[in-house]
Amino acid sequence: MEPRVSLITLGVNDLEASLKFYRDGLGFPTSYTADKGVIFFQTGGTCLGLYPLDKLAEDVSPDLVPERGQFSGITLAHNVREKSEVDQVLDQAVAAGATIEKPAADTFWGGYSGYFSDLDGHLWEVAWGAFEFRDDGSLIIP
């Protein structure tokens, strides 16, 4: 297996509302509309997909019950180049309908980060200071 994550799919309760959150609120580009039944966003080297939660659970297994706990053990991250961008992105997320789960603060690892949850409770960390960037926006992992 090549070391690559091609697509991350989030199960959502309301595809249209989630489309508006990510496209209109956060500015993720897409040519998809909710009537297609799935949404894909190009986000650098990895794509982000939105798919109805019940259909995603059914795709995994017809016996899977789509229950969402308070914490799934998964977070998504958006790293930024400048410290001030952390607060800007968190403010943008809140304006789009997100909930701040942890306000931005200096971290134990020497950076600055905060967390928000989207309309379905998917957790996003917005972080600065952990890694440098390549010209294409991907992270340089030492």
Side-chain angles (χ1 to χ4, degrees), residues 18-40:
S18 293
L19 168 64
K20 289 177 182 176
F21 176 82
Y22 283 97
R23 181 193 61 202
D24 304 338
L26 297 183
F28 285 27
T30 186
S31 59
Y32 279 73
T33 54
D35 63 316
K36 293 186 179 188
V38 64
I39 306 294
F40 295 108

Side-chain angles (χ1 to χ4, degrees), residues 6-81:
S6 304
L7 178 66
I8 296 170
T9 303
L10 302 178
V12 300
N13 290 311
D14 184 331
L15 192 59
E16 183 68 36
S18 293
L19 168 64
K20 289 177 182 176
F21 176 82
Y22 283 97
R23 181 193 61 202
D24 304 338
L26 297 183
F28 285 27
T30 186
S31 59
Y32 279 73
T33 54
D35 63 316
K36 293 186 179 188
V38 64
I39 306 294
F40 295 108
F41 301 98
Q42 185 66 53
T43 59
T46 302
C47 294
L48 179 68
L50 304 176
Y51 196 58
L53 179 61
D54 57 340
K55 291 183 180 186
L56 184 58
E58 184 179 321
D59 188 48
V60 173
S61 169
D63 300 324
L64 188 63
V65 178
E67 292 182 16
R68 183 166 284 141
Q70 188 173 5
F71 180 62
S72 68
I74 296 173
T75 63
L76 303 167
H78 177 77
N79 290 66
V80 295
R81 290 180 172 86

